[in-house]
């Protein structure tokens, strides 16, 4: 056990956990931020995607001890008031079915648009292929990312 | 998801005033066969009802007693009520019903049945009778005839004077009026919501991470647990050393339960770590089969006498007129559900009551299972259905609930049992593996002379009170799920015999309902054989099919439209092949045409054209999404889906070796819903089965290679 200060969604949180605990479980079970989901535990599905210093990362294999002072953003923090462009596009395209993977999808898509504001279908494929949706919402995810890109541009 | 007061059945059936002075109306209707998929004996009286409450503040609460696992019923069912009730969409509030043995009728959400089996008319009547009572109340207050009154989005209007009263102001009076037995329903041309593309009400919560799934339940004082099960089916715990597990920081308890060993901790990760560090000796039992042994056994069973499932004409005479013979064996593997949210259940047991938070397709099955296991009367078992991270049929069972109850009975706090992905994949209730042997052919005119099929597949396993698998007929009858999709084959064939061979119980692999159930493999078998026969007859696969669908107008129509949309009459681009698949399943009629290419051995599915007739569609937006989702599930099954057994245990463990479809493999999907005034059919499953043969038939058209054993990944193309 050790004490760590994690900067999450713009605020410092103290957690007392073993350094090897994955960030996912610190978020979910210690801090109560349950929007980040467990799917596989081995970086195969992307359900646990968060941002670390603005980049999309899976939290299931990122240990608490490895984070240091880097800034973490979870789904709860990407738009504390209202919806960001990606979330709004998700609503406009009626993307989610069960919805379980969608917070991870949105974190991945938000990360993609941050570094590539106007992605092609191939760009979307490359980036978003890390995230599995068992319901099969991929066609709407693709449309929603294009929609979000347009809304950010305009 | 809600905190409503419990209302007993008597209060529910009759109209009653609600606490707070609102109008509450219930509809209690008996409908046959809601539970068809889970009740092979057909002796359940399945019932369905809705529950509407108009609060004095003007808000309208609509209870949803079915489970939304992505199919959108938390939007589509309220649409039906709100339309007939004539209220503004923004004024409604959806309340998820807690489990109740009979208040809501059958809550089990399976078989694409949430709308088609009763809800359609039942919910329309729920909305319409409430509306009529509100009109009666207004007419009474004004002293006018109800004929002079109409409604407009939450208000009753008197046509002569233009006077207007809000539903909220009438609710209390309306509550005293007897429920009209036969309320006048809207003419479909007056529908405001029904039939229109309506966005799902839960999306804002889902995109903000505020929708609480099973694993998000956080009752006060929660402990986190996982369960390690014997990897071999039928095995059990012989002994275990938990010293190392207990040394993991945060692990509190390690103990045996009937299915394995529970590890209880302060957080999930500690529980998972503890599970990894357990040193267990298992009683391995006597199940040692490999997948190859199982298919070998099925092949042996296929040589025994079968029990007849469907017979037409004279198969022996038909076989004698075969000019071009077709003989083929088809094999489909076990499949895992692999829902994104692994199996989990949260239980708090106190001395005389239990509270349960669970992502389930069958809240009532959970309620009775918990009551039985914990020895608590059902009425003191509170079951909160949570958001469900995919159902696909897996969550109709209660095996994971039993794990949580047994664990919770040994600790003083609420406890959440979450299976690791590995446990989830290795302790699923798998889509049964299937084997089918075909013998037949076409006559000199190129028509099917004989169609003889022997099917072998395990019945579904009994898996606790939530599921009634394994009741699909005695030894003298074919298993209904094993032959569903074979016997329902829509083509007119003069001489046909389909029969069933039942595997011996020595095959212990647990089996269960998997999205679309029997047709998930049997449509592939049927449509592949029809395709083989078309080529044997040297006829176009489309023309061949259409020639045998003269008496099946709905499926014929969707096939014709699909052929047009996919431009079947024009040859595909170079190096592309097209294939057809179709099915009649759960009230849906679906035809698909896949277009594929193979480059350097790699298959690419470029496009799937899908035309579906689901009858009258409540919400085209969610129905289209279900259709696409079915295609994606079908593609994953066709390309990759395979659970393999080795020495009685499952080999695959996570998404690296049980591959699902990803966005970079997503084909263009061209979906067309046929306009139909027929009664609503099922839309959650029927578009899955045809995808698989559409792809394999396209591979044949392109390469001449006939895929007779799934998945496609195991073939050199």
């Amino acid at each position: 056990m050790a004490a760590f200060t994690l900067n999450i969604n713009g605020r410092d949180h103290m957690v007392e956990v073993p350094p090897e605990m994955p960030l996912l479980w610190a978020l979910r079970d210690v801090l109560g931020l349950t929007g980040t989901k467990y799917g596989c535990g081995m970086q195969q599905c992307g359900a646990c995607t968060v941002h670390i210093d603005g980049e999309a990362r899976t939290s299931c294999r990122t240990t608490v001890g490895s984070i240091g002072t880097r800034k973490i953003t979870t789904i709860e923090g990407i738009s504390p008031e209202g919806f960001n462009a990606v979330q709004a596009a998700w609503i406009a395209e009626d993307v989610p079915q069960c919805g379980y993977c969608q917070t991870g999808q949105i974190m991945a898509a938000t990360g993609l648009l941050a570094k590539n504001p106007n992605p092609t279908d191939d760009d979307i494929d490359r980036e978003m292929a890390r995230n599995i949706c068992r319901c099969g919402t991929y066609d709407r995810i693709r449309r929603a990312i294009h929609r979000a890109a347009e809304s950010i541009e305009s | 998801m809600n905190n409503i007061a419990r209302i007993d059945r008597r209060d529910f059936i009759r109209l009653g005033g609600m606490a707070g002075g609102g109008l509450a109306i219930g509809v209690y209707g008996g409908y046959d066969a809601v539970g068809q998929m889970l009740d092979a004996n057909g002796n359940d009286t399945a019932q369905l009802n809705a529950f509407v409450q108009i609060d004095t503040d003007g808000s309208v609460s609509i209870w949803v007693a079915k489970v939304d696992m992505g199919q959108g019923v938390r939007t589509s069912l309220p649409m039906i009520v709100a339309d007939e009730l004539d209220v503004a969409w923004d004024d409604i509030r959806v309340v998820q019903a807690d489990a109740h043995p009979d208040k809501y009728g059958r809550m089990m959400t399976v078989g694409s049945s949430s709308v088609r089996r009763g809800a359609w008319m039942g919910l329309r009547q729920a909305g319409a009778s409430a509306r009529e009572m509100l009109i009666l109340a207004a007419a009474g207050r004004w002293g006018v005839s109800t004929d002079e009154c109409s409604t407009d989005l939450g208000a009753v209007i008197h046509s002569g004077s233009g006077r207007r009263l809000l539903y909220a102001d009438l609710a209390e009076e309306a509550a005293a009026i007897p429920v009209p037995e036969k309320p006048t329903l809207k003419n479909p041309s007056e529908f405001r919501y029904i039939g229109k593309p309506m966005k799902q009400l839960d999306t804002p919560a889902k995109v903000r991470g505020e929708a609480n799934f099973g694993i998000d339940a956080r009752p006060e004082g929660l402990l986190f647990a996982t369960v390690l099960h014997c990897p071999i089916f039928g095995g059990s715990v012989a002994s275990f050393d938990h010293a190392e597990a207990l040394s993991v920081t945060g692990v509190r308890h390690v103990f045996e339960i009937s299915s394995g060993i529970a590890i209880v901790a302060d957080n999930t990760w500690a529980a998972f770590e503890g599970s990894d560090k357990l040193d267990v000796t298992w009683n391995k039992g006597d199940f040692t089969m490999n997948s190859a042994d199982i298919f070998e056994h099925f092949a042996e069973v296929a040589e025994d006498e079968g029990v007849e499932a469907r017979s037409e004409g004279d198969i022996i005479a038909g076989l004698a007129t075969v000019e071009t013979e077709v003989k083929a064996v088809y094999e489909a593997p076990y499949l895992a559900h692999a829902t994104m949210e692994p199996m989990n259940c949260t239980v708090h047991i106190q001395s005389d009551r239990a509270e349960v938070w669970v992502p389930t397709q069958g809240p009532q099955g959970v309620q009775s299972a918990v009551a039985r296991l914990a020895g608590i009367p059902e009425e003191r078992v509170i079951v909160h259905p949570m958001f469900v991270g995919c159902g696909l049929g897996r969550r109709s069972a209660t095996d994971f609930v039993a794990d949580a109850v047994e664990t919770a009975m040994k600790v003083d706090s609420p406890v959440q049992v979450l299976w690791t992905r590995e446990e989830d994949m290795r302790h699923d209730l798998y889509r049964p593996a299937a084997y089918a042997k075909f013998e037949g052919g076409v006559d000199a005119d190129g028509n099917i002379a004989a169609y003889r099929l022997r099917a072998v597949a395990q019945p579904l396993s009994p898996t606790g009170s939530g599921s009634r698998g394994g009741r699909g007929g005695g030894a003298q009858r074919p298993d209904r799920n094993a032959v569903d999709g074979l016997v329902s084959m829509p083509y007119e064939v003069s001489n046909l015999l389909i029969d069933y061979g039942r595997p011996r119980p020595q095959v212990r692999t647990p089996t269960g309902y998997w999205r679309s159930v029997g047709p998930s493999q049997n449509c592939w078998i049927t449509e592949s054989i029809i395709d083989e026969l078309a080529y044997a007859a040297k006829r176009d696969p489309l023309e061949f099919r259409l020639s045998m669908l003269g008496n099946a107008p709905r499926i014929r129509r969707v096939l014709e439209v699909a052929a047009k949309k996919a431009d079947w009459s024009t040859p595909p681009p170079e190096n592309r092949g097209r294939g057809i698949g179709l099915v009649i399943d759960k009230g849906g009629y679906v035809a698909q045409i896949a277009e594929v290419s193979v480059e350097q051995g790699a298959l690419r599915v470029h496009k799937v054209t899908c035309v579906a007739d689901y009858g009258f569609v409540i919400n085209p937006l969610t129905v289209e999404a279900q259709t696409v989702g079915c295609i994606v599930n079908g593609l994953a099954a066709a390309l990759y889906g395979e659970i393999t057994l080795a020495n009685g245990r499952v080999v695959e463990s996570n998404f690296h070796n049980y591959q699902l479809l990803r966005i970079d493999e997503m084909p263009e999907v061209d979906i067309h819903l046929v306009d139909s005034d027929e009664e609503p059919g099922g839309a959650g499953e029927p578009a899955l089965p045809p995808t698989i043969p559409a792809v394999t038939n396209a591979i044949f058209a392109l390469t001449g290679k006939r895929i007779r054993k799934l998945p496609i990944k195991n073939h050199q193309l």
Side-chain angles (χ1 to χ4, degrees):
Chain A
M1 290 287 253
F4 297 91
T5 303
L6 297 175
N7 186 281
I8 303 169
N9 302 329
R11 264 188 59 203
D12 282 347
H13 295 261
M14 248 268 275
V15 289
E16 220 169 303
V17 299
E20 65 272 22
M21 178 187 274
L23 175 61
L24 169 68
W25 299 113
L27 292 171
R28 291 188 50 80
D29 294 356
V30 180
L31 297 167
L33 294 168
T34 55
T36 305
K37 305 301 184 197
Y38 165 68
C40 68
M42 58 183 296
Q43 299 178 307
Q44 287 287 315
C45 77
C48 66
T49 303
V50 298
H51 292 176
I52 298 179
D53 276 351
E55 288 200 36
R57 291 278 179 270
T58 47
S59 61
C60 68
R61 285 285 175 98
T62 304
T63 62
V64 169
S66 73
I67 291 169
T69 56
R70 290 182 292 167
K71 292 184 179 352
I72 299 158
T73 310
T74 69
I75 189 71
E76 290 89 350
I78 57 166
S79 183
E81 303 293 321
F83 305 96
N84 79 358
V86 173
Q87 290 169 310
W90 246 246
I91 294 170
E93 296 289 347
D94 209 43
V95 173
Q97 288 188 32
C98 86
Y100 189 81
C101 76
Q102 297 295 347
T103 49
Q105 303 274 5
I106 287 166
M107 295 308 286
T110 303
L112 165 65
L113 291 174
K115 61 183 183 192
N116 181 354
N118 200 4
T120 63
D121 279 347
D122 282 347
D123 296 337
I124 292 173
D125 279 356
R126 258 192 308 277
E127 188 75 17
M128 301 298 294
R130 298 193 192 105
N131 291 62
I132 295 173
C133 173
R134 184 57 162 149
C135 298
T137 61
Y138 299 127
D139 60 329
R140 290 189 183 181
I141 286 176
R142 187 187 300 284
R143 286 209 298 270
I145 291 174
H146 286 307
R147 179 190 276 264
E150 280 166 31
S151 77
I152 293 167
E153 259 186 13
S154 59
Chain B
M1 288 187 216
N2 72 82
N3 292 299
I4 58 160
R6 303 198 136 230
I7 295 157
D8 75 19
R9 176 171 167 162
R10 184 183 60 244
D11 286 339
F12 175 71
I13 294 170
R14 74 178 175 79
L15 177 69
M18 289 295 292
L23 164 67
I25 178 168
V27 157
Y28 201 87
Y31 300 94
D32 290 328
V34 167
Q36 186 204 9
M37 295 308 301
L38 295 184
D39 187 11
N41 293 345
N43 51 12
D44 252 31
T45 305
Q47 292 177 312
L48 185 147
N49 60 61
F51 193 58
V52 179
Q53 181 182 321
I54 295 170
D55 285 330
T56 43
D57 69 358
S59 68
V60 178
S61 300
I62 298 177
W63 270 252
V64 171
K66 290 287 181 177
V67 173
D68 200 330
M69 39 200 149
Q71 79 277 39
V73 293
R74 279 171 54 91
T75 300
S76 56
L77 300 182
M79 280 167 65
I80 300 172
V81 178
D83 208 325
E84 290 286 356
L85 180 60
D86 199 13
V87 290
W89 191 241
D90 288 345
D91 290 342
I92 72 158
R93 190 173 70 93
V94 174
V95 186
Q96 187 71 33
D98 280 353
H100 190 280
D102 54 16
K103 192 162 90 177
Y104 304 104
R106 192 174 181 81
M107 300 173 81
M108 179 66 92
T109 309
V110 290
S112 297
S113 62
S114 292
V115 170
R116 67 181 174 126
R117 295 193 185 271
W120 170 231
M121 290 310 287
L123 294 180
R124 287 183 70 188
Q125 283 165 358
S129 35
R131 177 178 167 272
E132 280 196 6
M133 287 146 59
L134 291 155
I135 291 177
L136 282 162
R141 204 185 288 180
W142 290 323
V144 301
S145 156
T146 55
D147 294 345
E148 297 166 37
C149 299
S150 61
T151 59
D152 178 41
L153 292 180
V156 182
I157 294 163
H158 179 233
S159 56
S161 63
R163 279 177 293 181
R164 187 184 172 91
L165 279 168
L166 295 176
Y167 283 4
D169 298 330
L170 293 164
E172 215 164 339
E173 270 167 83
I177 295 169
V179 185
E181 270 179 30
K182 286 199 169 169
T184 309
L185 301 178
K186 273 190 175 175
N187 185 308
S189 66
E190 300 168 312
F191 287 150
R192 185 186 293 271
Y193 311 123
I194 297 170
K196 308 291 189 295
M198 298 284 285
K199 297 215 167 89
Q200 293 170 85
L201 295 164
D202 293 328
T203 303
K206 285 179 179 175
V207 302
R208 291 176 61 84
E210 288 167 0
N212 285 327
F213 293 82
I215 71 162
D216 302 329
R218 290 291 180 271
E220 185 73 33
L222 180 68
L223 292 176
F224 300 85
T226 194
V227 172
L228 184 67
H229 307 87
C230 179
I232 302 165
F233 298 125
S236 59
V237 178
S239 63
F240 65 100
D241 179 353
H242 57 18
E244 217 185 323
L246 277 172
S247 74
V248 172
T249 306
V251 170
R252 292 192 181 201
H253 314 282
V254 178
F255 48 78
E256 191 175 339
I257 60 172
S258 56
S259 72
I261 299 168
I263 304 94
V264 183
D266 292 336
N267 59 72
T268 306
W269 181 70
F272 285 2
E273 287 286 290
S275 173
D276 274 351
K277 293 197 161 54
L278 270 176
D279 181 10
V280 188
T281 307
W282 303 103
N283 290 316
K284 291 182 179 168
D286 58 3
F287 183 53
T288 58
M289 291 178 104
N290 298 328
S291 284
D293 303 330
I294 291 172
F295 282 110
E296 206 170 292
H297 171 68
F298 288 178
E300 284 165 20
V301 171
E303 298 309 314
D304 296 344
E305 190 100 347
V307 284
E308 184 181 304
R310 181 179 164 189
S311 172
E312 309 284 345
D314 182 340
I315 192 67
I316 303 299
L319 284 165
T321 66
V322 166
E323 186 70 26
T324 309
E325 192 180 62
V326 172
K327 281 188 170 181
V329 166
Y330 280 84
E331 292 171 289
Y334 294 106
L335 293 179
H337 295 82
T339 60
M340 288 310 294
E341 181 186 15
M343 293 305 106
N344 69 86
C345 181
T346 303
V347 178
H348 187 199
I349 296 195
Q350 289 154 297
S351 57
D352 63 340
R353 74 189 285 277
E355 195 162 4
V356 184
W357 298 261
V358 60
T360 176
Q361 294 177 240
Q364 294 159 325
V366 170
Q367 191 175 36
S368 57
V370 174
R372 178 169 41 79
L373 290 160
I376 293 169
E378 267 192 39
E379 60 270 20
R380 290 206 290 274
V381 176
I382 317 299
V383 178
H384 307 295
M386 306 295 283
F387 277 106
V388 175
C390 277
L392 305 176
R394 179 62 179 91
R395 297 187 211 271
S396 60
T398 54
D399 49 339
F400 53 94
V401 174
D403 276 8
V405 173
E406 285 194 39
T407 305
M409 285 171 73
K410 296 199 179 183
V411 293
D412 287 333
S413 316
V415 62
Q416 179 170 98
V417 169
L418 170 63
W419 291 6
T420 61
R421 170 60 58 198
E422 288 76 13
E423 288 295 300
D424 184 275
M425 196 158 284
R426 289 177 167 165
H427 296 278
D428 200 345
L429 305 166
Y430 303 92
R431 194 285 303 275
Y435 177 99
K437 186 179 160 195
F438 179 79
E439 182 185 5
V442 294
D443 62 19
D445 297 327
N447 296 314
I448 297 177
Y451 186 108
R452 181 179 194 163
L453 189 69
R454 165 77 45 89
V456 180
Q458 274 175 267
L460 304 187
S461 319
T463 55
S465 64
S467 170
R468 301 168 194 186
R471 282 165 53 184
Q476 300 313 306
R477 286 198 291 155
D479 180 76
R480 51 176 287 138
N481 292 306
V483 298
D484 187 14
L486 297 173
V487 297
S488 51
M489 176 290 257
Y491 304 105
E492 276 170 70
V493 176
S494 308
N495 302 300
L496 170 150
L497 177 64
I498 298 169
D499 57 17
Y500 171 68
R502 184 178 294 265
R504 310 288 176 271
Q506 73 204 46
V507 183
R508 296 260 176 79
T509 319
T511 54
Y513 296 92
W514 190 92
R515 195 175 195 177
S516 83
V517 199
S520 68
Q521 80 271 6
N522 289 333
C523 170
W524 168 66
I525 293 166
T526 301
E527 284 293 296
S528 297
I529 290 166
I530 293 293
D531 220 59
E532 292 210 38
L533 291 163
Y535 282 96
K538 299 189 166 55
R539 289 171 68 180
D540 174 72
L542 172 69
E543 176 274 325
F544 186 69
R545 284 175 170 83
L546 288 172
S547 74
M548 297 182 288
L549 293 173
N551 292 325
R554 289 179 77 181
I555 192 69
R556 186 189 160 91
R557 182 177 170 211
V558 297
L559 178 57
E560 284 171 342
V561 177
K564 211 169 141 190
K565 300 287 183 191
D567 210 8
W568 183 269
S569 59
T570 309
E574 210 181 335
N575 300 322
R576 299 265 181 107
R578 291 195 195 119
I580 297 173
L582 61 79
V583 79
I584 303 176
D585 183 30
K586 300 171 189 69
Y589 300 74
V590 183
Q592 292 177 13
I593 295 175
E595 192 172 300
V596 308
S597 69
V598 177
E599 270 180 50
Q600 295 173 329
L603 173 72
R604 174 92 209 179
V605 181
H606 295 272
K607 184 174 179 180
V608 176
T609 303
C610 175
V611 179
D613 172 0
Y614 299 121
F616 187 83
V617 169
I618 311 306
N619 187 356
L621 205 54
T622 46
V623 166
E624 188 216 66
Q626 283 297 289
T627 304
V628 176
C630 280
I631 291 170
V632 172
N633 286 179
L635 287 172
L639 270 51
Y640 307 120
E642 181 179 39
I643 284 292
T644 315
L645 269 81
N647 296 316
R649 63 179 83 192
V650 166
V651 173
E652 291 76 14
S653 58
N654 206 317
F655 298 128
H656 66 294
N657 56 12
Y658 189 80
Q659 213 173 328
L660 299 173
L661 206 78
R662 292 172 186 266
I663 195 169
D664 56 346
E665 302 162 292
M666 180 71 193
E668 179 189 350
V669 283
D670 187 25
I671 312 290
H672 300 270
L673 306 181
V674 166
D675 276 336
S676 172
D677 292 330
E678 301 278 347
E679 285 292 298
E685 297 166 281
L688 193 160
T691 306
I692 304 170
V695 170
T696 55
N697 290 340
I699 291 170
F700 181 81
L702 181 67
T703 67
K705 285 175 186 157
R706 181 62 71 184
I707 306 291
R708 296 196 183 94
K709 187 173 172 72
L710 289 173
I712 297 165
K713 70 167 182 175
N714 295 339
H715 296 264
Q716 293 282 334
L717 294 181

